[in-house]
Amino acid sequence: MKHITILKWVTICLAAITVCSSCGQTQPPPVQVPRDTTITRDNAVSEIFLDSLQVERFIETEAISDTAAIRFRNFYNSRNYQFAWFTKYDLAEQAGTFWNLYNNYIKYSQDSSLVNNSLAAQMALFQNGDTTYQPSAAIITGTELRLTKQFFDYVQHAYAGKINPEELKWHIPRKKVNAVELLDSLIAKKGANLESWEPLNRQYKAMKQKLLGYYDLSKRGGWDSLHLPKGKTNKKGDDGAFVKELKMRLALSADLPTEDSTGVFDETLKKGVQKAQKRFGLNPTGKVDASLVNRLNVPVEKRIEQILINMERMRWMPEPTDKNRIVANIPEFKIHVLSDTGEVFEMDVVVGKAGNNTVVFNDVLKYVVFSPYWNLPRSIVKSEIIPAMQRNANYLAQKNMEQTGVSNGVPIIRQKPGGANSLGKVKFIFPNNYNIYFHDTPAKSLFAKEKRDFSHGCIRLAEPKKLARYLLRNNPVWTDEKIAAAMNADVEKWVSLKSGVPVAITYFTAWVNAEGNMNFRDDIYNHDKEMSERLFLKKS
């Protein structure tokens, strides 16, 4: 399987699929389709049929919600109540395929909320090959309907996501999955060609393979904690017991190609250390420090949990409508500029500090603003500017700021264009309700840091001129010289893009990169922690 980064993944077209509502949008209730009476016993695929009253009694007994009930009726109406999971003599092929999918999902996802022990016991009786087992018509009918309900529940969890992202302040249009169409397709294929059938992207599948490997490591006892020796440089040329332990640890996580029991810090180990540092978003110095050791010491069980959390997020993501887009991944402190041929470039960024979190949402970048004014948010004016003005009457002039009015008793303050402007020399606007945008910054030293959460919520760019050149590349008016002049003017200049560029601001702390390596990042906003509390049952 060809690996791709989680950020490149958003450019891949998924199968055309459509169950759950787009977040933040009220969807009309599903329409019940009429019964297809053109299907008869002579032309039906199945030889056995349900009574519609049996379906209605099941819906009532199981207390199925109105929306789910319409989905249930639509499925059976569209097939004129043919059995979906049984032939005249036995379970249909698609029943066994689905049951394997379901059991595998339960096993790797740890989603105990989908466990159905009574149905599992019944399926075992059908699948064990005991010819003496003669189920009644009532048992077959009950199993048929329970399998259909289980399939719809499975699709919601496994393909659309167990958690509503809006509850966690992910303001994105949620991926849609049509469970009825998926079930119709599974039956038509008789459970074959699952690779093309499952509405899962390649990044998700790559993560699943890594997850299975981490489960295997956990069964084998995981890894021991490393203890960084004091007074040692822990770099190429060193030796000792710690080097041996480090080699064993890096071999477990595939940072070293093979296990090496020698105690010499050689060039191979240096490359392994650099590989591990890159996977954790650290500067690849090749020297072992506390920052790397702390990340290597995170127990394998915690890494499994982190992978599962991010796989849930991947289920939410909608199909991209445009391969030309910009993706910002907050915990990675990077943006990725993408085209239909792949990644054009990536760039280091500074994101919001805890308490001023950068919001997760999708939008469209429409404007490049050279030499911008900075219109200070009301919250900053109240908490920072007013106290500074009270201490120093010349504060606004010294900061190249001006007051343009008053709103509800609070001064309206903006900072004029110029080198000291907090937005730097250019900003990039994708109009939204969160007042989030990309911009330059005079505080260039922050980009040398590994952890870059310092802003009030907007995203600061390390190379804003590079992004401006890219966005205006097809506009012959905007030469490099004109861009440079506009960035250093004392007058604000707005430029509208001919075609807006989709922007996705995401929060992934685990993904598989282009080289097939498992990447992890710190949970800077505790979003993983909140999801963990919802996804996993914790032992008291």
Side-chain angles (χ1 to χ4, degrees), residues 250-287:
L250 293 182
L252 286 174
S253 53
D255 293 304
L256 283 180
T258 57
E259 192 170 313
D260 180 356
S261 60
T262 64
V264 178
F265 201 131
D266 54 15
E267 182 65 21
T268 300
L269 180 55
K270 179 182 177 181
K271 291 180 179 178
V273 169
Q274 290 174 319
K275 180 178 177 181
Q277 289 170 324
K278 289 178 182 177
R279 291 194 307 106
F280 295 122
L282 306 175
N283 293 329
T285 62
K287 298 178 182 179

Side-chain angles (χ1 to χ4, degrees), residues 34-138:
R35 185 168 180 171
D36 188 353
T37 56
T38 63
I39 299 173
T40 67
R41 293 184 184 275
D42 294 329
N43 61 20
V45 175
S46 176
E47 298 172 294
I48 51 178
F49 285 75
L50 291 156
D51 188 313
S52 61
L53 291 177
Q54 293 172 315
V55 173
E56 292 304 318
R57 282 197 295 269
F58 181 80
I59 289 171
E60 182 179 356
T61 302
E62 294 291 320
I64 296 175
S65 69
D66 291 343
T67 299
I70 291 175
R71 183 166 64 238
F72 217 87
R73 294 186 189 102
N74 284 351
F75 172 67
Y76 282 106
N77 276 342
S78 66
R79 57 191 295 106
N80 202 12
Y81 290 80
Q82 298 175 77
F83 273 70
W85 304 105
F86 286 86
T87 67
K88 184 177 180 180
Y89 304 102
D90 204 353
L91 278 175
E93 292 178 58
Q94 60 267 19
T97 299
F98 163 58
W99 201 245
N100 286 336
L101 274 176
Y102 159 77
N103 282 318
N104 286 335
Y105 171 77
I106 294 291
K107 185 176 181 180
Y108 80 75
S109 71
Q110 301 182 0
D111 186 358
S112 59
S113 66
L114 270 185
V115 172
N116 188 330
N117 290 323
S118 62
L119 181 57
Q122 189 61 61
M123 286 295 290
L125 291 173
F126 280 113
Q127 291 183 308
N128 67 8
D130 185 356
T131 56
T132 63
Y133 178 60
Q134 298 294 324
S136 66

Side-chain angles (χ1 to χ4, degrees), residues 290-475:
S291 185
L292 175 61
V293 169
N294 289 340
R295 286 163 174 79
L296 290 172
N297 283 347
V298 173
V300 67
E301 290 77 17
K302 291 298 294 182
R303 292 304 187 195
I304 287 171
E305 195 172 283
Q306 191 174 359
I307 292 171
L308 288 169
I309 286 168
N310 284 274
M311 289 173 73
E312 169 71 5
R313 289 180 180 134
M314 290 173 199
R315 297 185 190 105
W316 301 341
M317 298 298 287
E319 176 185 356
T321 57
D322 194 330
K323 292 184 179 181
N324 296 290
R325 57 198 287 111
I326 298 172
V327 180
N329 189 26
I330 295 167
E332 190 185 10
F333 306 115
K334 285 185 183 293
I335 65 166
H336 298 255
V337 178
L338 306 161
S339 73
D340 55 1
T341 59
E343 183 169 283
V344 182
F345 60 85
E346 64 178 38
M347 188 182 300
D348 290 343
V349 300
V350 170
V351 301
K353 58 189 173 184
N356 292 291
N357 297 4
T358 300
V359 182
V360 177
F361 68 104
N362 291 2
D363 218 300
V364 178
L365 198 160
K366 297 181 178 179
Y367 308 103
V368 179
V369 185
F370 294 112
S371 297
Y373 282 99
W374 178 34
N375 299 298
L376 277 71
R378 182 184 179 90
S379 60
I380 295 178
V381 172
K382 291 176 67 176
S383 63
E384 301 178 23
I385 305 303
I386 292 176
M389 292 169 63
Q390 292 170 342
R391 293 191 300 268
N392 178 1
N394 296 319
Y395 178 82
L396 292 184
Q398 291 171 357
K399 297 297 183 180
N400 198 30
M401 294 179 181
E402 61 184 3
Q403 181 175 338
T404 60
V406 177
S407 174
N408 296 323
V410 179
I412 301 173
I413 307 292
R414 69 179 184 179
Q415 189 174 35
K416 301 175 186 178
N421 187 291
S422 294
L423 302 186
K425 299 178 178 182
V426 61
K427 68 178 179 179
F428 305 86
I429 303 296
F430 31 102
N432 58 81
N433 295 327
Y434 317 109
N435 200 27
I436 301 292
Y437 45 86
F438 300 146
H439 66 86
D440 183 20
T441 176
K444 303 296 186 182
S445 62
L446 296 179
F447 294 106
K449 299 181 180 295
E450 291 175 336
K451 186 179 180 185
R452 297 187 293 275
D453 52 337
F454 300 104
S455 82
H456 284 90
C458 286
I459 296 177
R460 306 176 189 175
L461 306 177
E463 303 172 89
K465 186 177 181 181
K466 185 175 183 178
L467 181 59
R469 282 202 305 259
Y470 177 78
L471 293 174
L472 298 172
R473 67 194 181 283
N474 296 322
N475 189 334

